[in-house]
Amino acid sequence: MSLRVVVYAEGPGETGGSAGRKAPGQELLDDELGAAHVLVRRCLSRGDLIPAAAVRFHEPLRTPAGHVARGSDLYNMRTLRKLLTWFRAPPPPDVAVVLVDADGERSRKSTLEDGTRTVSQAKVIGVAIQEFEAWLIADHVRVTEALGAPFATTRDPETMNRREAKELLAQAIASAGKGPHNVRRTIAELCDLDVVAGRCSAFADFRAELLQTALAAQTHFRQ
Amino acid sequence: MIKSFVVQNFRCLRELDLELSPLTVLVGPNGSGKSAVLAALNEKTSVLPEDLWRHTAKKIVRTWTTDTGKVLDETVPGAARRPLELGHTPPVVQGLRLDPNHMRSRNQVQRAMQLGAVGENLANVVASVTRKEKVELAEQLCSLVPLFTDVDVTPTEQLGTHELRFQDRWNSDLWYAPREVSDGTMLLTGFLVLQYQQPPPDLITIEEPERALHPYLLEQLVQMLRRLSRGEIGKRAVQVVLATHSPDLLEYVLPEEVRFLGRDEEDGSTTVKAVPANDPDWQRYFQEYEKSLRQAWLSGGLGGVPGA
C-alpha cells in the first residue's frame, strides 16, 4: 500500500533540483526529493497513521505550455486547475500538495481554494507566511545543526517581511559554504515539526490539513 | 482501409497493436518508435537482422486488418520472403519524409505519378498531372502562399531536365526558381500533389509534416490531409498516418485521430495509447484543458513525452 503524492511549489528551493527530469506520473527517487517533499512525508507519517515508506512522490504534471510549474503558474487559476486535473494514465495521485508563498497576500489561500473547489483531485493548498523559508528557519537548533554554524533570529518567522526569511537563510547557507539544496533538505529532515508548528501558524494548519486529506483519500491507512 | 495493424519484434516494437483511423497522428518523444511504426506499416520496407527486437527475436510478424480481411506477413531477415496467402495483398504504403532540398532538384524528364520518398521527383510529378489538375494545384498553392499566382515546370539549360517555377504575384513576367522559394512552399507543393497520384496508394505515412510550415499553414495542411483520407479530394480515399513532435499540429487534429507513443518501463518496448474520445471522464478532462490537445499533451498527462 502506498500513498501517491505530487508536490507543486514555488521553485527548486522547495522541490529540489531534479524537477522536470522525469515524465509526469513517474515515481521520484529519494535523492530526487526536495525540502518540501521531506516535510510533507514527515507530516504525513507523524503519529504512525501512515508509514513513511508508504509515502511515494511522483513527478507532477507540467503547465499547459510544457514547463515545470513554478511560482506564478500556481497563482493562475486556469493553470492551477489543469495541474490538478489528471486523466487515467499516468494515474492521478492520491493527494496533490500545492505549496505557495503568501507574499503579503492574506487572501491567497482562500482565493486558490475557491478557484479549485470543483476540481475532484484530493488536494492541500499550503500558503506559507510570508514564504516557505519561514518554515525552514523556525527551528534554530536544527538549522544550526544543518549548517554546522550558529544560526539565530530574534523575530518570529511569520512576522518577518517579505523575502526576509529567504534572504536570511540564503546568507547563512552562503556563509557556511554549503550547498543550498542539501542544507534545505537536511533542515527539513531534522527540524522538530512541533517547534515549526508552534512558531508558524500556517505550517500548523498545513500539517493538520495534509494529514486529514491524506487519510480521507486513503481509507486503508485509517484501519 | 486499414483498421488495425499489429507488429511483433520489429526494432523497438516488441508487440504493438495500433488502431488506425482515416487520419492517424502518432505523437511521442524522440526514440519512442514513431519512425519504426511508419517503417513497419510498409510491407516493402527491407528488413535487416538488426531490425529484430533486441537483435534476438527470430522473425518479424505483421498483420494488417483491412475492411476486406487480414494480411499476415512473417519475415526472417536474410531468408527468402514467404509468399503471402493468395488473394491477400498487403496495403500499398507510400512513406514520405519530404526534404525541400531534394524537392528543388532538377528532374530528368520522365512521367512520374508517384512522389518519391523525399520528394526528389516533384517536378516530374507536377509535370505529369493533367492540365486541369495542374490548374487546381496552382490555385491551391497560391491561396496558401499568396506570394505566387502560378506554379509550373520549365526546361532548364541542362538538356532533358526540367524544374519547378513559381510566378510572382506582383510581376507576372517574373518566375522564381525552386532555390528562390521557401522550404514551406516546396513542402506544400509536395503535399498538394499527393491528391493527384495515380494510382493512389492505400496509405501515406509522413514524418514531421510540420517542418518549415507556419502554424496557419499547418492547419490547412491537416485539413487537406484529412479530406484526402476521407476521399473528399483525390481519386479515392487515401489513409494518412503522420508522425510528429509538434504541439502546433495537435491543435488541428481530433482527439480520436491521435495515438500517443511511449516506452514500457519494464522492457523498453514501444507502447501506444489512444484517447477514449467518447468517455465522459475524457470529456471532463478535455474540457478542463480547454479542448486543447496541445495543452493536454504538453502537461504530460497523456503520455508521449520525454522521460516516460
Side-chain angles (χ1 to χ4, degrees):
Chain A
M1 284 187 298
S2 68
L3 185 77
R4 293 169 54 90
V5 181
V6 298
V7 178
Y8 296 100
E10 296 274 346
E14 288 84 1
T15 53
S18 304
R21 290 192 195 157
K22 289 193 161 173
Q26 286 194 311
E27 187 169 346
L28 301 178
L29 303 174
D30 197 57
D31 62 5
E32 294 169 326
L33 304 182
H37 296 104
V38 174
L39 274 184
V40 165
R41 175 179 279 160
R42 292 188 63 209
C43 291
L44 287 170
S45 55
R46 187 167 167 268
D48 293 332
L49 288 170
I50 301 173
V55 181
R56 302 288 176 85
F57 292 99
H58 293 259
E59 183 72 17
L61 292 175
R62 297 209 179 188
T63 70
H67 62 253
V68 175
R70 293 296 187 214
S72 57
D73 298 317
L74 305 175
Y75 315 142
N76 178 323
M77 214 52 71
R78 284 167 68 190
T79 302
L80 182 58
R81 287 181 61 90
K82 290 180 179 72
L83 293 169
L84 296 171
T85 304
W86 295 65
F87 195 52
R88 290 175 192 151
D94 298 307
V95 179
V97 175
V98 182
L99 262 178
V100 296
D101 297 343
D103 286 334
E105 191 180 321
R106 287 175 177 273
S107 59
R108 182 159 279 172
K109 183 169 166 66
S110 58
T111 304
L112 298 181
E113 283 178 342
D114 289 347
T116 56
R117 202 169 298 285
T118 55
V119 174
S120 59
Q121 170 68 53
K123 61 192 173 296
V124 179
I125 297 175
V127 180
I129 304 170
Q130 297 287 343
E131 53 227 9
F132 179 72
E133 286 75 5
W135 298 359
L136 289 184
I137 64 166
D139 183 352
H140 295 172
V141 176
R142 298 306 189 184
V143 177
T144 297
E145 199 176 327
L147 287 168
F151 179 86
T153 59
T154 51
R155 293 169 60 194
D156 275 335
E158 288 191 340
T159 64
M160 290 182 175
N161 295 323
R162 189 178 167 193
R163 296 194 63 82
E164 195 175 337
K166 201 182 285 284
E167 284 164 13
L168 198 61
L169 182 61
Q171 284 164 9
I173 292 172
S175 301
K178 297 202 167 179
H181 172 61
N182 284 342
V183 172
R184 285 166 164 266
R185 205 183 130 138
T186 306
I187 295 171
E189 282 163 356
L190 298 177
C191 66
D192 184 325
L193 297 183
D194 291 330
V195 170
V196 179
R199 300 190 74 198
C200 300
S201 60
F203 177 75
D205 294 345
F206 170 72
R207 180 170 68 161
E209 192 182 338
L210 177 63
L211 190 57
Q212 190 181 17
T213 305
L215 289 172
Q218 284 286 27
T219 49
H220 54 258
F221 286 118
R222 289 188 296 185
Q223 292 162 2
Chain B
M1 178 175 136
I2 307 171
K3 293 195 288 193
S4 70
F5 174 64
V6 179
V7 53
Q8 293 170 303
N9 298 328
F10 181 69
R11 301 183 192 166
C12 53
L13 313 176
R14 191 179 62 79
E15 177 149 14
L16 191 88
D17 189 344
L18 181 70
E19 297 286 324
L20 292 168
S21 41
L23 173 65
T24 306
V25 181
L26 308 180
V27 181
N30 301 89
S32 57
K34 300 186 296 294
S35 300
V37 172
L38 299 191
L41 273 164
N42 192 341
E43 190 260 343
K44 297 205 181 311
T45 296
S46 53
V47 175
L48 304 168
E50 54 265 37
D51 286 325
L52 288 165
W53 162 253
R54 292 280 149 84
H55 299 182
T56 54
K58 299 289 180 239
K59 63 181 178 184
I60 294 160
V61 183
R62 294 180 288 178
T63 309
W64 296 262
T65 302
T66 68
D67 293 326
T68 53
K70 285 191 178 195
V71 181
L72 175 74
D73 172 66
E74 294 186 3
T75 306
V76 178
R81 295 289 288 272
R82 210 174 78 170
L84 296 165
E85 285 177 52
L86 211 59
H88 287 79
T89 49
V92 176
V93 176
Q94 179 182 26
L96 295 176
R97 195 174 201 292
L98 297 182
D99 179 332
N101 289 329
H102 283 96
M103 298 170 90
R104 290 186 172 98
S105 57
R106 294 171 175 184
N107 287 176
Q108 199 71 42
V109 177
Q110 58 181 295
R111 187 172 162 77
M113 298 305 292
Q114 301 278 340
L115 193 61
V118 291
E120 70 282 2
N121 61 345
L122 180 61
N124 277 336
V125 177
V126 171
S128 302
V129 301
T130 66
R131 185 184 299 269
K132 178 173 170 286
E133 289 168 344
K134 202 180 292 178
V135 170
E136 276 181 17
L137 172 69
E139 282 174 1
Q140 291 169 29
L141 179 69
C142 297
S143 75
L144 295 172
V145 190
L147 304 173
F148 308 116
T149 47
D150 199 4
V151 56
D152 200 358
V153 178
T154 186
T156 71
E157 73 281 3
Q158 195 179 333
L159 193 65
T161 68
H162 59 180
E163 66 179 8
L164 289 173
R165 62 175 184 166
F166 300 83
Q167 187 180 38
D168 185 81
R169 174 183 165 183
W170 295 276
N171 178 356
S172 58
D173 293 331
L174 179 58
W175 289 80
Y176 296 104
R179 66 180 176 280
E180 297 178 281
V181 305
S182 68
D183 286 1
T185 300
M186 295 308 301
L187 287 167
L188 281 172
T189 309
F191 288 131
L192 289 169
V193 88
L194 296 177
Q195 62 192 297
Y196 304 118
Q197 295 188 113
Q198 188 70 344
D202 297 308
L203 184 146
I204 299 174
T205 66
I206 306 175
E207 286 208 54
E208 298 182 35
E210 67 276 6
R211 281 175 306 141
L213 291 185
H214 186 281
Y216 288 8
L217 295 182
L218 204 48
E219 179 176 17
Q220 302 289 326
L221 173 65
V222 170
Q223 286 177 1
M224 191 278 283
L225 293 174
R226 187 181 291 119
R227 291 179 68 209
L228 180 67
S229 74
R230 291 173 176 173
E232 295 164 9
I233 56 171
K235 299 187 169 58
R236 65 173 170 82
V238 177
Q239 230 172 327
V240 177
V241 179
L242 308 178
T244 184
H245 301 275
S246 167
D248 289 333
L249 191 139
L250 280 189
E251 287 296 71
Y252 308 121
V253 299
L254 305 172
E256 55 268 34
E257 292 172 334
V258 179
R259 308 290 179 271
F260 295 98
L261 268 59
R263 292 291 193 119
D264 183 85
E265 284 202 50
E266 298 296 317
D267 67 4
S269 63
T270 293
T271 59
V272 63
K273 195 166 75 169
V275 166
N278 296 322
D279 187 313
D281 284 348
W282 162 261
Q283 286 164 3
R284 274 192 292 275
Y285 170 85
F286 201 39
Q287 189 72 40
E288 190 66 53
Y289 272 86
E290 302 167 39
K291 297 197 170 180
S292 166
L293 266 183
R294 173 199 171 98
Q295 292 188 31
W297 178 51
L298 288 176
S299 78
L302 299 175
V305 293

